[in-house]
Amino acid sequence: MSRDKVFAGHAVRRLRRRHGLTQAAMAELLAISPSYLNLIERNQRAIPAGLLVTLADRFDFDPRVLAAGEPGGGAEAIRRRLADPMFADLEVDRSEVEEWLAAAPGGAEAFARAFDGGHGRGQGGTATAAVGDDPATAVRREIERWRNHFPDLDAAAEALADELRLIGADLYGALVERLRVRHGLAIRILPVEALPDQLRRLDLHARQLQLSERLAPWSRTFALAVQCALLEARAEIDALARGAALERVAERLLRRHLASYFAAAVMMPYARFLRACEASGYDLEVLQRRFGAGLEQVAHRLTTLQRVGARGLPFFLLRIDRAGQVSKRFMGASNTPLLAGEGRCPLWRVHHAFDRPGSVVPQLLELEDGTRWFTLAVAVTGAAVGAGANRVESAFALTLGVPADVAGGVAAARGLELTGAATPVGPGCRGCHRVGCPQRSAPPAGRALLVNDRERGVSGWAFAGD
């Protein structure tokens, strides 16, 4: 199932102004009424798929521009930034933010970039590090700019996958043969003692790609596909890396992500994978077995299905450890506020997967703005390092999510009433303004505390409202 409509009023308005058109003139070119175009620009109407195609045809642009999301992430994202204590005396309400976005989307985007770039302050009131100082954050921003969908890499990987299928049904064997014949690289599986702290190593002197025996079968296939990406998709990766204009370390991180993206696309070619997703209801177990992939590999791939004309559901992905630290987050095309900031709502059952290994933990969420999300959490483990008392095995909880209004086709959501009761959550206590929450551990940033010795509510923190 794919989403047929998008809300992109600000992008449509920018496109119209760039071409020097009035609403009446643009509406005439699109064969719609000026009042309908006005509703689209004010985000009171979605853009139907047919109109999206007409826009792309008449104005010769990539439709992803329209799906790039609202300036600064939208009204809720702007309000979270304005909740910083440095703005506490301004008392900017929701309607003012919405008017700002409608009247000056460029100014709102500039404010968001400046704040995120370190000109603002953290929730505790201390200055945050500039985004430019953090390579991982810079790379994540670039990935989000592309919505984690890189069409040139997908096309090249799909062509390679089709070519490999002619060699044999065993993808691992086909990749071994391709690296040997085309690139003169032999594959060697080494014992733990030979690679105690590594999983993969390229030995150019011996012309060997050496893999640790700790790697699962799907991880070995992935490692070979990554090596093919570095050798055969260099032009596509170079173009994307140069276009990002990142500093050196961040560029290397981006290249690593792009090589991994290509490898996943070889293992799970776009068209075949999307068909399997829609036929199985995005069933994680079915997809793993059908494509010989690991759970985390499948989860990553689900966030990339945004090919124009063949879109999958807009999944996001979050990976956390037992301490709640986030090690991966991919927003994809979801534009969800659930991944913003470092805090997680304790009512969001992302940690419950650790207590139910091998099981999927589904949940229906509702945010303060009324938007609803369906999420599913599952635990995964990585390759163990060391032996005996020193043996360490990585453990993470993966959480996938989609808007609840498109989750009806997801196998894990069957049996749930997606329009029924949902768990009320927020973006962590410091960014959440819900009152009466029994799990609240801190008041929201920028709100005045109210202390009344004669009353005690469900929450230990009372604060002034809007």
Side-chain angles (χ1 to χ4, degrees):
M1 180 184 299
S2 62
R3 301 185 78 184
D4 296 325
K5 299 180 180 181
V6 294
F7 288 89
H10 302 292
V12 172
R13 183 186 298 110
R14 287 195 297 269
L15 180 67
R16 175 174 62 79
R17 290 175 175 173
R18 191 181 308 128
H19 286 80
L21 297 173
T22 63
Q23 283 189 338
M26 188 177 200
E28 183 177 354
L29 288 173
L30 299 175
I32 60 175
S33 68
S35 59
Y36 185 48
L37 178 59
N38 181 262
L39 291 172
I40 288 175
E41 290 193 1
R42 290 160 54 196
N43 275 339
Q44 294 182 7
R45 292 291 186 276
I47 305 178
L51 183 57
L52 186 61
V53 172
T54 303
L55 275 164
D57 180 59
R58 293 291 176 88
F59 295 97
D60 188 26
F61 71 101
D62 187 341
R64 286 176 302 173
V65 173
L66 292 187
E70 295 181 283
E76 285 305 312
I78 294 292
R79 290 189 77 222
R80 284 195 296 275
R81 295 179 178 96
L82 290 172
D84 190 281
M86 70 184 297
F87 305 124
D89 63 318
L90 298 180
E91 299 183 354
V92 181
D93 61 25
R94 185 189 302 269
S95 62
E96 287 182 273
V97 172
E98 292 173 348
E99 290 172 6
W100 184 22
L101 286 170
E109 176 66 22
F111 161 75
R113 292 185 186 182
F115 185 88
D116 294 345
H119 299 284
R121 295 182 178 271
Q123 291 179 346
T126 57
T128 59
V131 170
D133 296 335
D134 182 358
T137 302
V139 170
R140 186 169 68 246
R141 175 174 292 175
E142 179 66 11
I143 293 170
E144 290 179 359
R145 187 172 75 85
W146 284 88
R147 298 194 158 207
N148 201 21
H149 175 68
F150 301 92
D152 291 344
L153 286 180
D154 257 313
E158 204 162 22
L160 175 59
D162 289 341
E163 190 176 341
L164 292 172
R165 290 181 74 188
L166 300 176
I167 299 175
D170 176 22
L171 180 58
Y172 178 81
L175 285 167
V176 168
E177 186 68 8
R178 187 175 188 91
L179 288 171
R180 183 185 69 82
V181 173
R182 180 164 295 199
H183 304 291
L185 283 176
I187 309 303
R188 188 177 179 190
I189 309 299
L190 295 180
V192 173
E193 294 77 16
L195 291 176
D197 301 314
Q198 294 177 310
L199 299 176
R200 172 174 63 91
R201 182 173 65 193
L202 178 62
D203 188 335
L204 290 175
H205 178 73
R207 300 300 298 170
Q208 288 181 351
L209 179 60
Q210 300 167 348
L211 305 179
S212 170
E213 64 181 353
R214 287 192 295 245
L215 287 174
W218 53 84
S219 295
R220 295 182 185 183
T221 303
F222 186 81
L224 300 190
V226 166
Q227 192 60 52
C228 276
L230 297 174
L231 294 169
E232 300 189 22
R234 181 175 297 177
E236 291 86 351
I237 292 175
D238 283 348
L240 290 165
R242 287 196 301 267
L246 300 172
E247 56 90 22
R248 189 174 182 181
V249 174
E251 181 179 317
R252 288 182 175 178
L253 282 176
L254 178 61
R255 287 177 182 274
R256 185 170 70 180
H257 174 80
L258 296 174
S260 297
Y261 183 102
F262 182 92
V266 169
M267 294 178 65
M268 295 164 276
Y270 193 100
R272 276 190 278 150
F273 186 72
L274 180 58
R275 286 196 299 269
C277 287
E278 294 178 338
S280 68
Y282 295 81
D283 189 300
L284 298 178
E285 185 176 355
V286 169
L287 295 172
Q288 288 178 77
R289 295 184 178 182
R290 187 168 300 181
F291 292 91
L295 174 58
E296 190 164 349
Q297 292 169 345
V298 170
H300 272 267
R301 189 62 169 143
L302 288 176
T303 69
T304 70
L305 302 180
Q306 292 301 307
R307 176 176 287 176
V308 175
R311 298 186 190 278
L313 294 184
F315 278 94
F316 68 78
L317 171 65
L318 176 73
R319 190 180 81 169
I320 63 171
D321 59 22
R322 289 183 180 274
Q325 300 172 114
V326 177
S327 51
K328 290 182 182 178
R329 69 180 98 195
F330 293 102
M331 188 177 293
S334 69
N335 199 31
T336 180
L338 286 166
L339 301 190
E342 295 304 317
R344 304 271 86 78
C345 180
L347 299 178
W348 186 14
R349 297 198 291 265
V350 291
H351 282 87
H352 287 213
F354 289 117
D355 301 324
R356 298 172 57 182
S359 300
V360 171
V361 181
Q363 190 176 15
L364 187 63
L365 310 175
E366 182 170 324
L367 301 182
E368 289 181 84
D369 61 0
T371 57
R372 297 161 69 89
W373 298 83
F374 170 74
T375 68
L376 55 96
V378 60
V380 295
T381 56
V385 178
N390 295 323
R391 179 183 173 88
V392 177
E393 185 177 71
S394 60
F396 299 98
L398 298 178
T399 300
L400 287 162
V402 290
D405 61 352
V406 298
V410 178
R414 291 170 187 163
L416 291 180
E417 179 53 62
L418 295 174
T419 59
T423 304
V425 300
C429 292
R430 297 292 278 166
C432 177
H433 302 91
R434 292 186 186 276
V435 297
C437 176
Q439 282 281 177
R440 180 172 288 282
S441 60
R447 292 296 179 88
L449 284 177
L450 302 178
V451 181
N452 188 338
D453 292 337
R454 290 180 292 177
E455 294 181 359
R456 172 62 163 84
V458 174
S459 170
W461 302 96
F463 49 89
D466 283 328

